[in-house]
């Protein structure tokens, strides 16, 4: 790399070449621009001390607990590996003007940290500190280890200066205070050329004031995203003793070696596009007061005309765990060893390994399948306790064949590997799994592929290979009858826009438990309402509302649905994100 990075200290220019390691660059910036005798020195009362050698400054920052009361309450450290938004140093140099996620409370945490010239650090400098912390905040990196890329950061902000377009994913509204938290993985910058497709793992700690039940997780991602998987370690001991590759740094998933599933952790949920995961009333994801999450984000710069900053935001809605709440669990099944697809058209059937395990009943809430670009159909069937596979689809990859009071989040009429449908059973569907004598029962996948390449395709986490994968969420006990009206913890109130992204015409689909006053509108990233879709009393049931978006400009928008029960007055409100592309 050829760029030269200049730091000014009392009008003295200090030149540092791009041969620096990531921490050397951070150290030089802090030591030369921010250290002085009255502030941030070994003799000052401030916790952030930048004088001394590189090793001394690193030791004074890395995983050192922050001391002010506000930071202590938020479980922050001066620099917390893989946690830029819980690192006091980053918030002190950045503030809300750089990123609202990094706002500082000046009453309890002091003023923003300025350099020795009285200026805030540049956006490039702040961003590089954020990237360094996200990539493990290491003093040294091995040659093959993921690490922050100064050239990428430099080029991105140079482009931002010229074009004024940052390409960041608009931040979704956060949960109301006391109802939940917003978490974020990113930004991760993808280059224009070279390695434009990448897949990362990152651990994050989450704290609650109680043993939590999570009733809803809303995911928001770049349209270029391929998938996001959310795992949870069973407890902090499992996280500490895990062999997961991302214990101390973000890890990159590779074709051979590091996978998404290393470590003692369980899949919690997955996203292949923006979606709200709203669990049925009476169920919840069980998270401890300190929960360690493991996140897998697969992204690709499909456009590749600009450096793409990728983010995944998720709003976690929770409350204190109830004594009668049923735990919602997840099962991931994937055909790794047996997925062999020669050139041409082929159909491959695969039994979930659970089918050969312990006999049990599972009460299914949802399921979704997944292939890559050569997949043409993806369907699931059931084997009963006699080992017989039903001729009726249990899950239809076209999203059109419902069963046992189920419904789909979309119904395109064909398999779309970019946006595969999700099938829900709001009242939970009892399903037998395991060996009954010498017969196995459970879910069977049948997927068809048209391999138009000249080579045999195998299972791969990258989009230049193929997949045969599905997952489902379930409880181990049946759901007790409920009578909620427009309760935002019940999946029966479903709300989605399709297609997403859309061109000129789309439809809003949602369901109501009971008669309600329904209002829905579309607003832009500034909060301005650009269209009102409905404002009327509607009876209970599944609704489809067609609307014309031809007069709305291309861009990112949010759509909102509010339903207020006409009896009892209970209200439900939901906000989702949509892309309009013309």
């Amino acid at each position: 790399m050829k760029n030269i990075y200049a730091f000014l200290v009392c009008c003295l220019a200090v030149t540092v070449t791009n041969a620096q390691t990531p921490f050397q660059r951070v150290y030089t910036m802090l030591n030369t621009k921010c250290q002085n005798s009255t502030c941030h020195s070994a003799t000052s009362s401030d916790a952030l001390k930048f004088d001394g050698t590189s090793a001394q400054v690193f030791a004074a920052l890395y995983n050192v607990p922050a001391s002010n009361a506000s930071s202590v309450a938020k479980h922050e450290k001066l620099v917390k590996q893989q946690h830029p938004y819980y690192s006091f140093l980053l918030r002190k140099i950045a503030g809300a003007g750089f990123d609202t996620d990094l706002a500082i409370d000046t009453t309890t945490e002091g003023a923003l940290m300025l350099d020795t010239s009285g200026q805030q650090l540049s956006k490039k400098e702040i961003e590089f500190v954020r990237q360094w912390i996200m990539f493990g905040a290491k003093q040294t990196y091995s040659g093959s280890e993921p690490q922050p890329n100064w050239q990428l950061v430099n080029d991105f902000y140079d482009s931002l200066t010229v074009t004024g377009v940052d390409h960041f994913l608009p931040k979704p509204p956060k949960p109301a205070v006391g109802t939940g938290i917003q978490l974020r993985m990113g930004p991760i910058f993808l280059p224009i050329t070279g390695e434009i497709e990448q897949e990362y793992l990152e651990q994050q700690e989450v704290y609650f004031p109680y043993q939590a039940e999570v009733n809803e997780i809303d995911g928001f991602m770049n349209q270029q995203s391929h998938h996001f998987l959310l795992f949870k370690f069973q407890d902090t001991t499992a996280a500490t003793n895990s062999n997961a590759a991302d214990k101390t740094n973000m890890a990159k998933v590779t074709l051979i070696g590091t996978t998404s599933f290393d470590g003692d952790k369980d899949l919690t949920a997955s996203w292949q596009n923006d979606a709200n995961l709203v669990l049925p009333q009476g169920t919840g994801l069980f998270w401890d007061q300190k929960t360690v999450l493991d996140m897998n984000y697969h992204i690709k710069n499909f456009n590749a005309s600009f450096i793409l900053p990728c983010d995944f935001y998720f709003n976690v809605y929770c409350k204190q765990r109830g004594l009668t709440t049923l735990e919602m669990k997840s099962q991931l099944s994937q055909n790794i060893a047996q997925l062999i697809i020669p050139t041409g058209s082929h159909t491959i059937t695969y039994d979930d390994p659970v089918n050969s395990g312990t006999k049990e009943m599972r009460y299914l809430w949802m399921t979704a399948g997944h292939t890559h670009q050569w997949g043409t159909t993806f369907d699931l069937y059931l084997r009963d306790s006699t080992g017989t596979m039903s001729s009726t689809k249990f899950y239809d990859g076209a999203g059109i064949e419902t069963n046992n009071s189920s419904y789909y989040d979309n119904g395109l009429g064909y398999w779309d590997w970019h946006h595969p449908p999700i099938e829900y059973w709001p009242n939970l569907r009892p399903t037998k799994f395991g060996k009954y004598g010498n017969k196995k029962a459970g879910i069977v996948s049948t997927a068809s592929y048209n391999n138009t390449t000249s080579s045999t395709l195998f299972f791969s986490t990258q989009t230049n290979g193929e997949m045969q994968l599905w997952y489902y969420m379930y409880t181990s006990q049946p759901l007790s009858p409920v009578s909620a009206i427009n309760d935002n913890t019940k999946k029966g109130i479903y709300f989605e826009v399709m297609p997403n992204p859309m061109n000129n015409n789309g439809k809003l689909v949602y369901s109501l438990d009971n008669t309600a006053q329904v209002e829905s509108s579309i607003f832009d990233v500034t909060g301005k309402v650009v269209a009102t879709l409905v404002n009327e009393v509607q009876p209970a049931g599944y609704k489809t509302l067609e609307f014309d978006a031809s007069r709305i400009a291309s861009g990112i928008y949010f759509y909102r649905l509010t339903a207020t029960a006409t009896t009892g007055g209970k209200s439900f409100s939901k906000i989702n994100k949509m892309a309009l592309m013309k």
Side-chain angles (χ1 to χ4, degrees):
M1 294 181 285
K2 300 178 181 179
N3 284 5
I4 295 178
Y5 197 63
F7 296 100
L8 298 178
V9 185
C10 299
C11 299
L12 174 65
V14 180
T15 303
V16 183
T17 70
N18 281 323
Q20 287 184 302
T21 66
F23 179 66
Q24 284 174 335
R25 183 178 295 281
V26 172
Y27 164 71
T28 302
M29 175 178 64
L30 296 175
N31 180 257
T32 59
K33 298 195 80 170
C34 301
Q35 184 274 131
N36 59 57
S37 60
T38 59
C39 187
H40 310 303
S41 71
T43 59
S44 74
S45 60
D46 195 289
L48 299 172
K49 299 174 173 58
F50 307 136
D51 55 352
T53 66
S54 167
Q56 289 170 329
V57 172
F58 181 82
L61 294 175
Y62 181 76
N63 279 341
V64 174
S67 58
N68 71 80
S70 177
S71 290
V72 170
K74 291 182 286 190
H75 304 277
E76 288 187 342
K77 295 184 178 180
L78 300 184
V79 168
K80 189 170 185 176
Q81 63 178 26
Q82 297 191 78
H83 289 74
Y85 309 105
Y86 293 92
S87 292
F88 184 58
L89 169 66
L90 181 60
R91 291 197 300 107
K92 283 287 281 187
I93 66 174
F98 176 80
D99 189 321
T100 54
D101 288 337
L102 298 170
I104 190 165
D105 184 345
T106 56
T107 302
T108 58
E109 299 169 335
L112 282 174
M113 193 175 81
L114 305 178
D115 67 15
T116 53
S117 300
Q119 302 297 314
Q120 191 170 8
L121 298 175
S122 71
K123 287 189 174 182
K124 291 180 184 180
E125 293 167 332
I126 297 170
E127 183 63 70
F128 192 74
V129 174
R130 174 162 64 176
Q131 293 294 307
W132 171 65
I133 296 173
M134 191 167 62
F135 281 95
K138 292 208 161 190
Q139 187 173 9
T140 58
Y141 293 85
S142 66
S144 60
E145 194 172 15
Q147 56 187 282
N149 185 324
W150 165 250
Q151 189 68 54
L152 205 58
V153 170
N154 181 74
D155 292 347
F156 172 81
Y157 281 95
D158 280 352
S159 174
L160 173 58
T161 300
V162 173
T163 65
V165 181
D166 62 21
H167 299 291
F168 278 108
L169 177 69
K171 286 184 175 63
K174 294 184 178 182
V177 175
T179 65
I181 57 175
Q182 184 176 92
L183 300 174
R184 176 185 184 184
M185 182 177 179
I188 299 170
F189 293 91
L190 293 186
I192 296 173
T193 61
E195 198 177 6
I196 64 171
E197 180 177 3
Q198 300 177 39
E199 185 173 356
Y200 285 101
L201 302 171
E202 182 183 47
Q203 290 190 22
Q204 285 193 21
E205 296 173 358
V206 185
Y207 294 85
F208 301 98
Y210 42 64
Q211 292 290 97
E213 65 173 74
V214 174
N215 307 116
E216 175 178 353
I217 307 178
D218 299 344
F220 304 87
M221 64 204 308
N222 292 75
Q223 292 297 327
Q224 294 89 343
S225 305
H226 185 254
H227 74 242
F228 184 91
L229 303 179
L230 181 62
F231 297 88
K232 181 182 74 68
F233 288 99
Q234 289 289 340
D235 49 41
T236 54
T237 300
T240 301
N241 298 332
S242 168
N243 66 340
D246 58 344
K247 284 178 66 172
T248 60
N249 182 18
M250 282 178 59
K252 186 177 292 185
V253 174
T254 58
L255 292 177
I256 301 175
T258 302
T259 76
S260 308
F261 313 106
D262 300 325
D264 183 15
K265 58 192 180 185
D266 298 318
L267 179 68
T268 292
S270 76
W271 288 263
Q272 294 168 108
N273 47 269
D274 288 0
N276 296 341
L277 186 77
V278 187
L279 276 63
Q281 186 180 10
T283 71
L285 303 172
F286 284 7
W287 291 11
D288 296 330
Q289 285 186 264
K290 178 183 177 181
T291 291
V292 183
L293 303 174
D294 206 27
M295 300 174 293
N296 168 223
Y297 193 15
H298 187 174
I299 45 184
K300 185 174 181 178
N301 193 348
F302 288 99
N303 186 323
S305 61
F306 51 81
I307 295 171
L308 179 66
C310 294
D311 280 291
F312 187 90
Y313 291 91
F314 47 114
N315 289 344
V316 179
Y317 295 87
C318 56
K319 60 184 178 182
Q320 188 165 359
R321 191 178 304 169
L323 295 176
T324 60
T325 302
L326 297 180
E327 181 178 9
M328 185 66 73
K329 306 173 184 178
S330 298
Q331 176 72 41
L332 176 70
S333 297
Q334 49 188 342
N335 182 6
I336 298 177
Q338 301 175 32
L339 189 63
I340 304 172
I341 310 170
T343 299
S345 297
H346 305 274
T347 298
I348 297 175
T349 298
Y350 180 70
D351 263 80
D352 186 328
V354 176
N355 301 356
S356 300
T358 303
K359 181 169 63 176
E360 64 177 311
M361 184 76 79
R362 293 182 174 183
Y363 298 85
L364 275 60
W365 169 50
M366 60 77 69
T367 191
H370 186 62
T371 70
H372 284 165
Q373 58 188 302
W374 293 280
T376 56
T377 65
F378 188 101
D379 301 310
L380 298 175
Y381 297 85
L382 288 181
R383 289 194 192 280
D384 62 22
S385 56
T386 68
T388 303
M389 191 166 84
S390 171
S391 60
T392 302
K393 295 175 184 177
F394 171 71
Y395 164 89
D396 187 346
I400 56 177
E401 187 171 333
T402 60
N403 52 80
N404 288 75
S405 300
S406 68
Y407 64 89
Y408 284 89
D409 70 345
N410 65 51
L412 298 176
Y414 59 88
W415 173 249
D416 178 6
W417 73 279
H418 286 288
H419 303 99
I422 301 176
E423 186 170 12
Y424 293 98
W425 293 270
N427 297 318
L428 308 186
R429 174 172 180 171
T431 306
K432 293 179 179 179
F433 290 88
K435 295 291 285 291
Y436 287 76
N438 63 349
K439 304 294 184 182
K440 55 186 178 182
I443 299 177
V444 181
S445 166
T446 299
S448 298
Y449 304 87
N450 182 22
N451 180 1
T452 57
T453 74
S454 58
S455 304
T456 298
L457 298 172
F458 301 93
F459 185 95
S460 174
T461 60
Q462 301 293 297
T463 54
N464 58 359
E466 258 305 340
M467 273 194 175
Q468 185 175 15
L469 176 153
W470 72 98
Y471 98 104
Y472 56 90
M473 301 183 73
Y474 68 96
T475 65
S476 297
Q477 301 176 47
L479 185 64
S480 300
V482 294
S483 57
I485 300 175
N486 295 317
D487 190 325
N488 65 358
T489 63
K490 187 176 180 185
K491 184 56 201 168
I493 303 170
Y494 156 74
F495 172 45
E496 197 67 80
V497 67
M498 58 184 65
N500 192 0
M502 73 171 61
N503 187 345
N504 287 323
N505 297 303
K507 59 183 178 181
L508 192 70
V509 292
Y510 53 97
S511 65
L512 301 172
D513 285 342
N514 281 48
T515 300
Q517 173 72 38
V518 178
E519 300 178 38
S520 183
S521 58
I522 297 175
F523 55 98
D524 63 20
V525 294
T526 69
K528 177 183 177 182
V529 175
V530 297
T532 298
L533 305 181
V534 65
N535 186 0
E536 64 185 19
V537 174
Q538 295 183 343
Y542 185 83
K543 312 294 180 183
T544 300
L545 175 66
E546 305 284 344
F547 65 91
D548 179 4
S550 61
R551 297 184 180 181
I552 303 176
S554 296
I556 300 296
Y557 295 90
F558 294 93
Y559 54 100
R560 174 172 51 211
L561 177 80
T562 300
T564 304
T566 55
T567 301
K570 184 174 286 189
S571 184
F572 161 88
S573 186
K574 180 67 64 181
I575 298 176
N576 285 355
K577 180 169 69 72
M578 62 174 281
L580 193 58
M581 303 173 65
K582 299 183 179 182

